Amino acid sequence: MSSSPQRSFQHRDSSPAGAPGRKRSRFTYRHLNQMSTFTTSCPLRVIGHLDLDCFYAQVEMVRLGIPEDKPLAVQQWQGLIAVNYPAREFGIGRHCTVTEAKKLCPDLIHQHVATWREGDEKWAYHPDAAENIATDKVSLDPYRLESRRIMATIKEQLPPKLQKVEKASIDEVFLDLSAQVHAVLLDRFPELANPPYNDASEQLPMPSTTALDWQADALVDLDDEQAEFEDPDWDDVALLIASKIVRDVRAAIKSKLKYTCSAGVARNKLLSKLGSAYKKPNMQTVIRNRAVQCFLSGFKFTKIRNLGGKLGEQVRQAFDTESVSDLLAVSVEQFKGKLGDDTGVWIYNTLRGIDTTEVSSGTQIKSMLSAKSFRPSIGTIEQATRWLRIFAADIFSRLVEESVLEHKRRPRTMNLHHRHGNQTRSRSCPIPQGRPLDEKTLFEIAQTLLNQIVSEKEVWPCVNLSLSVAGFEEGVSGNMGIDAFLLKGDEARALKEEPKESKNVTQPPTAKRRRVENAGGIERFLTKRETTMVNRDTSDGISGSGAGFTDDLSPAQALINSGKPPIISHVCPRCDAKMESPEALLSHTDWHFAKDLAEEERVNQAFANRQAAAAASSRASGQKSGASAGPKRSARPKKGTERGQSKLSFG
Ligand code: TTP
Ligand code: CA
Ligand code: CA
């Protein structure tokens, strides 16, 4: 564990408190203290975001022992869902089919994802999976498993009492490093410990360090060129320490698990996430506070999270621009006038890189869904039952993988959707609480629901089946361990005999219903990662981004495609599509999320191309590359020492 990065600042004494003529820090002892409690409004806050490079591709490369420089893509049916960086050099991307990709690079290794085969007990890597779309269902378990090992490695690397780690998706993690950095600061600069006169509102002395060694980090240019000559303040030092911690975490992931990732380090989640995507693969980008505006100005605002969808479109129409710089001229009152108070303030802040969203360490899973679209359709209850076994196994393994049960959270309801022609039937029932929960139980409840559906007329052939669990509850049973959740068979049988069904329209739990109904403010637009992340892992692959995502559409997606929604009670906040249940709505928002991700990836590529072009042209003309259209990338740590500064290294 390297909780305390090496002491390697060369430093002179900090300015003594109250020394005349010495410049004081912009920050106070109170600000410093707020770091130790992860206060989200703390101006010295430091957040890291890690995103694995071409994640599924790396998992397959490590599993198969394929050298790093060999082009590889992960295949799902005829499409690609992950492409490694050597393969990207051939112009191969997620938009390609396997055939197109092989044309671009005949040596491409294309590994199909693992699949569950109808009737099998366990998923496996089947060499003939691509030809068996009718009988196989994609399993993302191998990637979930690795995701979990990565999480464990990250947590091991950070001091247990000072860490706050949020798994944001299968290959992304946010770290609130504030408390750890606070501890390092106090250790290294003991003069920061006690405010003079015991007054926390006193400003801190300036840091003793005058130049910071950012090592291999990509530094984003400061807003004002002159600012580079200013002495760093404590926010810069805090980011430097955080950056060293993040570098160590990445090194641990690489040495223990052989995976590379990219990272962003900044004052909040919004910026650190943009930072990790900025330079890939295997790079980390630091966005100093004085660089935020310059960094953001290079983006179209629609590339900022939560601004890619309907809200972004509304803003674009209202102000007739897509550029962050243009919108900086818009006052908060103007935003409020056009978009309402909450949304107006939120946009105004977001454009300025202000985000006080918490890094939340608890598991945020709200629902899980396992689904399969049948081509050709299936025609018997036996066939459907075989799929229910797979769904139950799939969901149960995810409950275990995501440590849901360890967090003493468990789902309260199960839903089964069945689609025949354009008609969708749904049944749901509660999952008994306070009793054990296992795969068999999940299967038995699902079977009960299926029996209810097939007791109706005309349910065959079936083109889509999906099973979901939702209504995750926190701490339902005090200190019960995982064993205490195992459900006894007779409990399941009792449930089977007397199911509490709800016909067609599934009533959402009260809290959820309220959220949907009240969604008039900014919540309307914010696709909460916490909910989308779950579903994103759930249906096979991610639909909605071109070739390869046609299997296992979520029920919501299938409805959208058919253009004939059934009974409607839930409206998508981003596109107004109408869903028949909260679960369907969740999986639909998931689809938006997947699209956003795909878009993000295109943007990254565009930036990379633009930067490469700009760099090439500036090399040719001997000019600075900062004037390119994308966000400015300064790049490397400035070589040599700035005026009047002594070079201090760290780590
Ligand atoms: P991303 O992080 O978006 O992409 P990536 O890790 O493959 O590549 P990058 O280096 O640019 O971060 O997605 C993580 C994994 O999620 C990806 O490896 C495969 C899966 N995924 C899909 O299956 N379909 C999709 O449309 C997207 C965007 C991701
Ligand atoms: Ca990634
Ligand atoms: Ca990602």
Side-chain angles (χ1 to χ4, degrees), residues 421-434:
N422 284 331
Q423 208 179 0
T424 297
R425 292 179 170 83
S426 302
R427 289 291 184 283
S428 70
C429 70
I431 297 170
Q433 301 296 300

Side-chain angles (χ1 to χ4, degrees), residues 76-77 133 373 375 540 542-544 546-553:
Q76 180 180 305
W77 318 132
I133 188 166
S373 291
R375 281 179 238 94
D540 281 1
I542 294 174
S543 51
F549 303 111
T550 50
D551 182 44
D552 298 329
L553 297 181

Side-chain angles (χ1 to χ4, degrees), residues 51-55 94 171-172 280:
D51 183 297
L52 274 288
D53 301 318
C54 56
F55 183 47
R94 286 202 183 96
D171 81 329
E172 282 168 50
K280 273 188 153 276

Side-chain angles (χ1 to χ4, degrees), residues 49-52 169-172 273 529 536 597 600:
H49 180 260
L50 298 178
D51 183 297
L52 274 288
S169 81
I170 197 162
D171 81 329
E172 282 168 50
K273 173 145 170 79
R529 184 142 217 146
R536 181 164 166 257
L597 277 176
E600 219 175 270

